[in-house]
Amino acid sequence: MEYFLPLISIVTISYKAVNLIEKTILSVVEQDTADFEYIVIDGGSTDGTVEVIRKYENAISYWVSESDKGIFDAMNKALSVAKGDWVIFMNSGDCFYNNHVLSEIAIYMKDEETELIYGDVNLFSGKRNFIFKQRVSGININLNSVCHQTVFIRRKLHPYFDVRYKLTADHDIIFDFIKRGQYIHANIVIAKVLLGGVSHDVIKTSLEKLLISYRKGTFMDLLLSPLCNIYQVIKYFVKKLLISALPIELFNKMSRMKSKMESNF
């Protein structure tokens, strides 16, 4: 049977991102396949962001600049106009790892039973720059979220984000898909992601994730989630201490060992 390349909806959310958005746009429009639509939702920026968007509007399928109720409200606006078979959110400051990502991911989209595809991520901040090989299961989803910049979800199955969650509405959706089990890991690096972001408040993030596990999880999740989220808070503060005390090469080596251990959880 002849295979037709899927149409991928790529979404960028921006607000006062004049120094960040251009590299994100370029990482999209320079992909080596044309099988995508590009949607940009700006929150009414007045810092020059809109001028950057206009510079590339011939390569953008749909864009708007207007006030919203936050990042997940803006992401919902994008979902309401998206027409692709799959959707991924690549927000301002983040970008595709290289210009082959979309052509390489297409092969993983052949299975009609697959609902979610995720890959690996290049995390960076200051002197830190490393590849995080994400591995997730129905158990360790309580420990580590999946970077939404590496996640492709079938658009027709993608629900709107629950805006009650100010930091983890993306995790809320990914949690459901992982629990259903119809997901696969693509052995490619999908995105370059700046460490930090909207969910950088580790205590509030952990509390929201705990609530998600309590609302949607199994009995095992109810047992594991408090322990996992306490571990995440402790890890955050230990990491801040170590990164100021250790050479960056040693710190990165320890981080890779920690990530491998967590992936096997």
Side-chain angles (χ1 to χ4, degrees), residues 7-205:
L7 179 68
I8 300 172
S9 297
I10 305 166
V11 177
T12 294
I13 306 300
S14 65
Y15 181 62
K16 294 184 177 179
V18 65
N19 294 322
L20 298 173
I21 192 169
E22 187 165 33
K23 71 173 184 178
T24 302
I25 292 174
L26 287 173
S27 83
V28 175
V29 302
E30 292 179 352
Q31 288 293 302
D32 63 3
T33 177
D35 297 296
F36 66 87
E37 64 169 2
Y38 190 26
I39 299 167
V40 179
I41 308 293
D42 179 70
S45 299
T46 57
D47 66 336
T49 299
V50 172
E51 286 69 28
V52 177
I53 296 170
R54 285 200 179 105
K55 179 180 175 181
Y56 297 98
E57 63 182 351
N58 288 339
I60 297 172
S61 309
Y62 174 90
W63 74 275
V64 67
S65 180
E66 61 186 17
S67 61
D68 54 54
K69 298 177 182 177
I71 186 170
F72 294 116
D73 179 49
M75 290 163 81
N76 282 339
K77 289 183 181 181
L79 285 175
S80 71
V81 299
K83 299 176 182 177
D85 301 298
W86 295 80
V87 61
I88 183 172
F89 290 85
M90 192 66 62
N91 295 336
S92 294
D94 304 321
C95 56
F96 285 111
Y97 185 67
N98 57 41
N99 64 352
H100 310 303
V101 170
L102 295 188
S103 57
E104 291 177 353
I105 201 68
I107 192 171
Y108 293 92
M109 296 174 172
K110 291 183 178 182
D111 187 350
E112 294 183 359
E113 298 298 315
T114 301
E115 299 177 344
L116 178 150
I117 303 166
Y118 75 98
D120 299 326
V121 60
N122 177 196
L123 297 171
F124 67 94
S125 177
K127 294 181 179 180
R128 299 190 66 197
N129 191 322
F130 60 97
I131 302 298
F132 178 37
K133 293 188 173 296
Q134 303 185 111
R135 296 295 184 273
V136 69
S137 69
I139 296 297
N140 71 13
I141 189 64
N142 290 286
L143 178 62
N144 279 324
S145 299
V146 180
C147 292
H148 74 254
Q149 300 91 332
T150 71
V151 173
F152 297 82
I153 295 176
R154 285 195 185 274
R155 184 191 55 81
K156 66 180 181 180
L157 300 178
H158 200 308
Y160 287 106
F161 294 92
D162 188 339
V163 295
R164 292 176 299 175
Y165 298 112
K166 303 302 181 184
L167 302 175
T168 61
D170 51 344
H171 173 73
D172 176 51
I173 288 174
I174 293 169
F175 185 93
D176 285 339
F177 280 100
I178 297 302
K179 285 297 184 179
R180 285 207 294 270
Q182 297 300 109
Y183 66 91
I184 58 175
H185 171 258
N187 192 30
I188 58 176
V189 182
I190 304 294
K192 298 178 183 179
V193 175
L194 181 66
L195 286 165
V198 68
S199 60
H200 192 54
D201 187 324
V202 66
I203 294 178
K204 289 182 179 179
T205 297

